Amino acid sequence: MSAQFESTPWIWNDGEFIRWEDATLHVMAHVVHYGSSVFEGVRCYSTPEGPAIFRLHDHISRFFDSCRVYRMEPACTQDEMAAACHELVQRNELEECYIRPVSIRGYGAAGLNPDASPVETYVVCWPWGAYLGAVALEEGVDACVSTWNRPAPNTYPALAKAGGHYLNGQLMKMEAAANGYAEAIALSPSGLVSEGSGQNLFLVKNGILTTPEPDGTLLMGITRDSIIALARDEGIEVREEAIPRERLYTADELFFTGTASEVTPIRSVDRIQVGGGGGGAGPVTRTVQERFLRVARGIEPDPHGWRSYSADAPSADAPALAGVEVA
Ligand SMILES: Cc1ncc(COP(=O)(O)O)c(C=O)c1O
């Protein structure tokens, strides 16, 4: 099997560690047909004190909220999932990685009502560098406004991170790539700026940092929340408000935030250069990007308590291994 990601030896599955190659599904699993999964994306950073998972408990809490919206009940508790994440990183001997908890509706139901399909929960991790490329973190990316809108409130629940929602993001991302852009920015059904295909978005104008307000069309990103907190720590004024599309073209600085994308500057939108042009991160973007990465990597103190080390993990019974011995 060829893939664009690096596999790791172990995957956690409902209390057991199984081999990567054994984590397979039947084609009739409900999730395959109807996108019935919820998931999280979490990053673990290498720090001087060892691997630290960034805002693990906030991610797990959002995961369980997503499950609740979709009436899914994982077999584990939040503490057990947190312990599983730490143990998985250790077993896979990774210092730094991306962690993907996912609950799926499995094999059972053929129709839309998923009640006959069991909820199966996995945690996977693998090494994953900068989502939009290491150069993008420095130089920024070219983005477009997508012809695809985000779903209206009360269609797909945007606060839930569910697999099926990402069909919308895929349309955006594929269109952007086909037209030579690295990323896409979606408008809400009312024509206001919403978010990227898998990122939130911030703009800077006259030193004020602004991001779209929660309007039921965007995910409440944990990185978004971190950037708001770090910017306020720095004395930067932050606003959450409605953003008309044209403010993308008149901003001094623009950047995406997300667990995968971290803080990625945007250097142009629809081929209009951001700010003075020349690419790269502007001063406010650079300030929050640096602080974010320094906190995540344990280079500076963690005033908000965002780093989670395995020694601090809640004690859960050591999960069993599925019929295998580990050295
Ligand atoms: C649609 C969407 N918006 C925003 C984000 C950013 O969220 P977070 O910072 O919690 O990763 C993501 C990433 O998961 C996403 O998929």
Side-chain angles (χ1 to χ4, degrees):
M1 263 190 295
S2 74
Q4 286 188 339
F5 48 81
E6 206 178 309
S7 66
T8 48
W10 298 105
I11 287 176
W12 182 90
N13 173 215
D14 283 326
E16 295 188 330
F17 285 92
I18 61 172
R19 288 283 183 188
W20 178 281
E21 49 279 9
D22 294 333
T24 55
L25 294 181
H26 196 279
V27 70
M28 278 303 289
H30 196 267
V31 61
V32 175
H33 301 262
Y34 304 119
S36 36
S37 66
V38 307
F39 69 98
E40 266 307 314
V42 193
R43 268 195 195 271
C44 175
Y45 289 89
S46 171
T47 79
E49 282 82 44
I53 305 181
F54 191 72
R55 300 197 67 169
L56 176 62
H57 297 281
D58 296 311
H59 281 283
I60 290 179
S61 168
R62 187 172 67 184
F63 182 89
F64 277 75
D65 284 348
S66 301
C67 287
R68 203 170 164 77
V69 172
Y70 277 99
R71 300 170 190 265
M72 295 170 89
E73 281 191 29
C76 62
T77 64
Q78 297 199 27
D79 281 354
E80 285 164 350
M81 180 172 273
C85 290
H86 279 294
E87 190 168 352
L88 184 69
V89 172
Q90 279 178 339
R91 278 189 194 277
N92 284 325
E93 297 179 359
L94 293 168
E95 281 292 309
E96 199 157 79
C97 60
Y98 181 87
I99 305 171
R100 169 64 56 83
V102 58
S103 280
I104 59 145
R105 302 273 196 187
Y107 181 88
L112 276 182
N113 185 343
D115 283 354
S117 289
V119 173
E120 297 161 16
T121 303
Y122 297 82
V123 182
V124 190
C125 73
W126 66 93
W128 204 7
Y131 176 65
L132 294 168
V135 176
L137 289 177
E138 284 301 314
E139 296 181 4
V141 292
D142 298 309
C144 59
V145 173
S146 184
T147 65
W148 296 100
N149 286 350
R150 294 285 299 161
N154 211 29
T155 56
Y156 298 95
L159 297 187
K161 197 166 163 62
H165 300 187
Y166 283 78
L167 289 171
N168 174 254
Q170 287 180 52
L171 289 170
M172 290 167 59
K173 186 84 181 180
M174 290 188 292
E175 179 191 53
N179 291 326
Y181 298 98
E183 255 311 333
I185 300 165
L187 305 180
S188 68
S190 58
L192 297 165
V193 174
S194 178
E195 62 175 347
S197 65
Q199 307 88 357
N200 294 116
L201 177 133
F202 285 81
L203 66 81
V204 181
K205 185 75 174 177
N206 299 328
I208 299 170
L209 189 55
T210 308
T211 193
E213 63 193 359
D215 65 353
T217 73
L218 52 122
L219 187 72
M220 289 290 94
I222 289 166
T223 321
R224 175 188 184 278
D225 182 73
S226 307
I227 292 305
I228 291 173
L230 292 173
R232 288 189 172 140
D233 289 351
E234 293 291 313
I236 298 167
E237 182 178 341
V238 184
R239 295 184 186 163
E240 296 177 70
E241 62 189 24
I243 300 182
R245 172 178 182 166
E246 53 273 29
R247 287 186 68 189
L248 298 172
Y249 307 126
T250 59
D252 298 330
E253 303 175 36
L254 275 178
F255 59 90
F256 286 122
T257 63
T259 297
S261 307
E262 298 169 308
V263 178
T264 300
I266 302 171
R267 65 181 172 200
S268 71
V269 180
D270 296 334
R271 308 272 180 237
I272 299 176
Q273 295 297 310
V274 174
V284 175
T285 310
R286 185 64 74 207
T287 299
V288 293
Q289 184 192 50
E290 280 179 7
R291 278 220 65 208
F292 173 80
L293 290 173
R294 288 171 69 84
V295 172
R297 293 183 178 143
I299 298 165
E300 59 176 82
D302 180 18
H304 301 282
W306 289 336
R307 296 193 294 259
S308 170
Y309 295 95
S310 66
D312 311 329
S315 55
D317 288 342
L321 290 168
V324 282
E325 287 184 13
V326 188

